[in-house]
Amino acid sequence: MQPWDFMLIGDLDVRNQVKELCEREQQAAACYYDEPRRSHYLSLNLEGIVESSVNLCITCDPTRAEEVLGRNSIRETDVYSTCRAVQNMWLASRAEGIGVGWVSVLKMSQLRKILGIPHHVIPVAYLCIGYPVEYLGEPLLQTAGWRDHLPLSELLHYDGWESTGALPDWSDFQRAIEAD
Amino acid sequence: MQPWDFMLIGDLDVRNQVKELCEREQQAAACYYDEPRRSHYLSLNLEGIVESSVNLCITCDPTRAEEVLGRNSIRETDVYSTCRAVQNMWLASRAEGIGVGWVSVLKMSQLRKILGIPHHVIPVAYLCIGYPVEYLGEPLLQTAGWRDHLPLSELLHYDGWESTGALPDWSDFQRAIEAD
């Protein structure tokens, strides 16, 4: 489908505009948190927007893939494809020792204005890319107590939502297929 | 954020219900195509739903991550994360020689009924997983003339939507950063 465009942003003036947008958004979003989360939230660093080697905005053009299969039933497949392109790029970067950070503290409509993105195009991801000072052993937000890791076993279901628990005997699937 | 659940579907009765749903949807979607695309579209094989080793439905629960960072400004980050989990699993499967096919010819509201998925949970992906007979050298839909591959150079922009073309001298970015 290739609904994506990739916009590389090196210009520091543009990046400072984006950073200002995020700082304002961070102030607004902090209003929804109580202490001590509020202070922690406000301390989160947005400097990566200007300090990273380059910023990358990945967009989705829903009009490009109008004729492509699979969009009659699920309109969002174009955005889903774009997210998967983001992840491919992310993993390829990581394999090269390059770090990626997703900036989600911004309003996409305002980002659209700064970058001159047409109204029909959806800015999906705004990423900071560069060689990181360090890789953490576990997600920062987990260390900071925002959320514990959920074990996979709690997120598995079998043949329907209600059936959960440990992985069934895999040969059951094989027998079912052979019996068909 | 981990907004996802993974539902493994081995049961052939359930899979046949899903296949029937897709066949009906395929008939409906075919109405939007002219010949010869219509015939080609109708010939596309849905047997993988029952013939593959297992089906996998990956869902997104928007309520699980309400308190998690980054959702004040962009509500869709939970679905984006789920798509990226799909892609991680897809690439890991491919590395093991396991093929994955995304079934997008179905209405998610009807799939929700078959699988008993709660109303607030979004079924994002319905996948067929198994050892494929062959890997094609290029996407089937490209070979079949649905769409040509777009070269990356046509999808690149620099510092703003209007600036397109060849990759600029990377050292420009470096100089800009050093001058800061």
Side-chain angles (χ1 to χ4, degrees), chain B residues 79-94:
Chain B
V79 171
Y80 293 178
S81 286
T82 306
C83 291
R84 292 165 64 208
V86 170
Q87 189 65 1
N88 282 350
M89 198 219 62
W90 197 306
L91 293 171
S93 300
R94 184 62 186 81

Side-chain angles (χ1 to χ4, degrees), chain B residues 2 18 20 26 43 85 92 97 111 120 124 127 141 145 159 163 168 178:
Chain B
Q2 292 184 290
V18 174
E20 205 173 292
Q26 190 181 37
S43 76
L111 182 69
H120 71 282
V124 172
L127 309 172
L141 296 181
D159 294 327
S163 171
E178 283 165 4

Side-chain angles (χ1 to χ4, degrees), chain A residues 78-119:
Chain A
D78 52 0
V79 171
Y80 293 179
S81 286
T82 306
C83 291
R84 293 164 63 209
V86 170
Q87 189 65 1
N88 282 350
M89 197 219 63
W90 197 307
L91 294 172
S93 300
R94 185 62 186 80
E96 303 280 349
I98 297 168
V100 179
W102 187 313
V103 182
S104 56
V105 187
L106 78 178
K107 288 265 193 300
M108 284 308 185
S109 54
Q110 294 171 312
L111 182 68
R112 201 182 257 125
K113 275 185 207 161
I114 294 175
L115 300 178
I117 297 170
H119 281 290

Side-chain angles (χ1 to χ4, degrees), chain A residues 36-58:
Chain A
R37 283 200 169 180
R38 182 182 290 184
S39 295
H40 179 249
Y41 181 73
L42 286 168
S43 75
L44 290 173
N45 201 338
L46 294 167
E47 295 302 319
I49 296 168
V50 288
E51 287 180 359
S52 60
S53 303
V54 69
N55 292 183
L56 176 62
C57 181
I58 303 181

Side-chain angles (χ1 to χ4, degrees), chain A:
Chain A
M1 193 187 294
Q2 292 186 290
W4 45 69
D5 281 83
F6 297 88
M7 189 188 298
L8 286 159
I9 302 145
D11 186 88
L12 279 176
D13 179 49
V14 176
R15 293 209 241 172
N16 272 312
Q17 288 180 58
V18 173
K19 185 172 163 241
E20 204 173 292
L21 193 67
C22 294
E23 282 166 348
R24 194 177 292 207
E25 189 71 14
Q26 190 181 39
Q27 291 289 336
C31 299
Y32 299 101
Y33 297 116
D34 295 321
E35 293 293 353
R37 283 200 169 180
R38 182 182 290 184
S39 295
H40 179 249
Y41 181 73
L42 286 168
S43 75
L44 290 173
N45 201 338
L46 294 167
E47 295 302 319
I49 296 168
V50 288
E51 287 180 359
S52 60
S53 303
V54 69
N55 292 183
L56 176 62
C57 181
I58 303 181
T59 60
C60 172
D61 181 351
T63 65
R64 190 180 297 156
E66 266 170 354
E67 287 272 320
V68 173
L69 274 178
R71 295 202 61 221
N72 284 297
S73 314
I74 311 172
R75 293 302 296 172
E76 301 85 352
T77 50
D78 52 0
V79 171
Y80 293 179
S81 286
T82 306
C83 291
R84 293 164 63 209
V86 170
Q87 189 65 1
N88 282 350
M89 197 219 63
W90 197 307
L91 294 172
S93 300
R94 185 62 186 80
E96 303 280 349
I98 297 168
V100 179
W102 187 313
V103 182
S104 56
V105 187
L106 78 178
K107 288 265 193 300
M108 284 308 185
S109 54
Q110 294 171 312
L111 182 68
R112 201 182 257 125
K113 275 185 207 161
I114 294 175
L115 300 178
I117 297 170
H119 281 290
H120 70 283
V121 174
I122 304 162
V124 171
Y126 194 89
L127 309 172
C128 300
I129 300 177
Y131 293 97
V133 179
E134 62 173 332
Y135 284 106
L136 301 174
E138 65 174 22
L140 176 62
L141 296 181
Q142 189 176 331
T143 317
W146 281 74
R147 172 76 172 272
D148 285 332
H149 185 256
L150 301 171
L152 181 60
S153 61
E154 289 183 17
L155 308 172
L156 283 177
H157 308 252
Y158 306 100
D159 294 326
W161 190 263
E162 292 308 318
S163 172
T164 57
L167 192 69
D169 184 357
W170 203 254
S171 61
D172 286 353
F173 290 124
Q174 200 55 46
R175 272 198 296 276
I177 293 160
E178 284 164 4
D180 184 33

Side-chain angles (χ1 to χ4, degrees), chain B residues 99-168:
Chain B
V100 179
W102 188 312
V103 182
S104 56
V105 187
L106 77 178
K107 289 266 194 296
M108 285 306 186
S109 54
Q110 294 171 314
L111 182 69
R112 200 183 258 126
K113 276 185 206 163
I114 293 175
L115 301 177
I117 297 170
H119 281 289
H120 71 282
V121 174
I122 304 162
V124 172
Y126 193 89
L127 309 172
C128 300
I129 300 178
Y131 293 96
V133 180
E134 62 173 331
Y135 283 107
L136 301 173
E138 64 175 23
L140 177 61
L141 296 181
Q142 189 176 334
T143 317
W146 281 75
R147 172 76 173 272
D148 286 331
H149 184 257
L150 300 171
L152 181 60
S153 60
E154 289 183 16
L155 307 172
L156 283 177
H157 308 250
Y158 305 99
D159 294 327
W161 191 263
E162 293 308 318
S163 171
T164 57
L167 192 68

